[in-house]
Amino acid sequence: MRIIAKHAAGKVLKSDGFQISADAKLAKKKDPSIIDGTLGTFYFEDGSFKTFQTVHKIMNQLNDEDIYLYSTSDGGPAFKEAILEWAFKHTRKEIEASLSVAAIPTPGGTGALTSAVFNSLDPQETLLIPSPCWGPYVGIALNRAFKIEKFFMFDGDAFNMKGFVEKSEKIIATEGKLVVIINDPCNNPTGYNMTKAELEAVIDYLNTKKEVPCVLIYDCAYIDMAVEGMKKTRENMLAFTKANENILISVAFSFSKTFFIYGQRLGGQILLSKNKESVMEYYNAANYTARNTWSNCNKGMIRVLEEMTKSPALMAEYQQELDEVIAVLNTRAELFKKEAKQVGLQIYPYQGGFFITIPCDNNMLVSEKLVEEEKIYLLPFDNSVRVAICSLPQSDLKGLAEKIHRVIKKYN
Ligand SMILES: Cc1ncc(COP(=O)(O)O)c(C=O)c1O
């Protein structure tokens, strides 16, 4: 007798980043010389984790009602105002002039992705994702009986437009619609930033499919970690203003990353389209999904976002803290990239963010041998291993490329 539902039977979380990272953390407690480059959380050079002081300051000023009461499933008008300000900054007017816009809070970026995928596909339809990509994209699809198709992300050092189009054509031919996730900027796992021209090329291609409903899920979890800063990253999103009526863009925003509030669970789903009805339909479905799945989101964090967005002084304080984080990330990336070049270790194109990724076919064996022979914990991704520079101080990064290179040469 099998008690569990058919759709749930056999589902086991395997090779999950959280689990591998917990193992690495435990091992490091016993042996501090272990290098733990597994999880995407920012640690300062002294090995400490801290959220932003500006976040703390606002939290400390909130009263019990602000923190402990329910919020509404749609977040309310003040949330909408705050997230649109944050997500689009100086481009907001231009975005709103050419597209209908709606927004709803979600438990992290994961909630925004889950809701977007769930409300875009019917069972047995296909989600297109890049390879390599963040692992849960696969589970988000498979958990709800959707299929996945992958396209390789790179053509040399650029976005693989040809691969993206080939796989899109195949899905469109059989299913008559296209739903794709793109993670940009500071792509996880590679650190790649798409250029505005590349984003425009994606939109231009979808525009040619006039009769085909297309959903572009733009996962911008690490947008605020980009070296280029908030102005440039928002300007790139102006590419969306070119999208025709057949396209709906669902932006997945993660305050886990932007505010370093990982376990507090706040994100947002922003819906954009020239087709006003589609935006309203998606918004209503997202609100229905929210109320009947997680009910509502972290009220305290919603209030932090609202307060910070309203206050130029608080924004300036946060920006100063953020600039320091980005400078640290940049120094770490430069160090690793320089040493990788010196020893001839190939990496995927990196422009910013938390991770640098090394192509290697035998990723599982290489990950195991890195632990056994060098006490280095990294996460295996599709044909690659990922170094979380966000969590490694420069003292750990120094010499790391050489050790990884040695193991890859031996076992790949
Ligand atoms: C690429 C990517 N997208 C989305 C998320 C979701 O973040 P969260 O749900 O923690 O906000 C993550 C988190 O690691 C990520 O790496």
Side-chain angles (χ1 to χ4, degrees), residues 107-110 113 134 137 183 188 219 221-222 254 256-257 265-266:
T110 309
L113 293 165
W134 187 51
Y137 291 164
N183 172 216
N188 178 8
D219 175 4
Y222 297 91
S254 167
S256 320
K257 319 292 177 194
R265 315 307 300 138
L266 182 66

Side-chain angles (χ1 to χ4, degrees), residues 31-66:
D31 177 358
S33 67
I34 279 173
I35 294 179
D36 175 11
T38 53
L39 202 62
T41 311
F42 184 83
Y43 281 81
F44 287 86
E45 283 293 297
D46 64 0
S48 66
F49 168 76
K50 291 189 283 281
T51 188
F52 290 97
Q53 294 315 297
T54 321
V55 170
H56 259 308
K57 186 167 146 182
I58 301 172
M59 269 300 272
N60 290 339
Q61 288 163 3
L62 298 179
N63 57 35
D64 279 13
E65 285 187 12
D66 281 323

Side-chain angles (χ1 to χ4, degrees), residues 184 194-203 218 236-237 239-240:
D184 172 69
M194 287 176 76
T195 62
K196 189 172 178 204
E198 286 174 335
L199 264 183
E200 279 170 348
V202 168
I203 299 291
Y218 185 69
N236 281 3
M237 280 198 280
F240 300 152

Side-chain angles (χ1 to χ4, degrees), residues 101-115:
V101 179
I104 183 163
T106 54
T110 309
L113 293 165
T114 304
S115 177

Side-chain angles (χ1 to χ4, degrees), residues 70 113 158 170 254 263 269 285 324 352 354 366 404:
Y70 285 123
L113 293 165
K170 185 176 153 203
S254 167
Q269 184 185 7
E324 281 165 28
F354 277 20
V366 165
I404 298 172

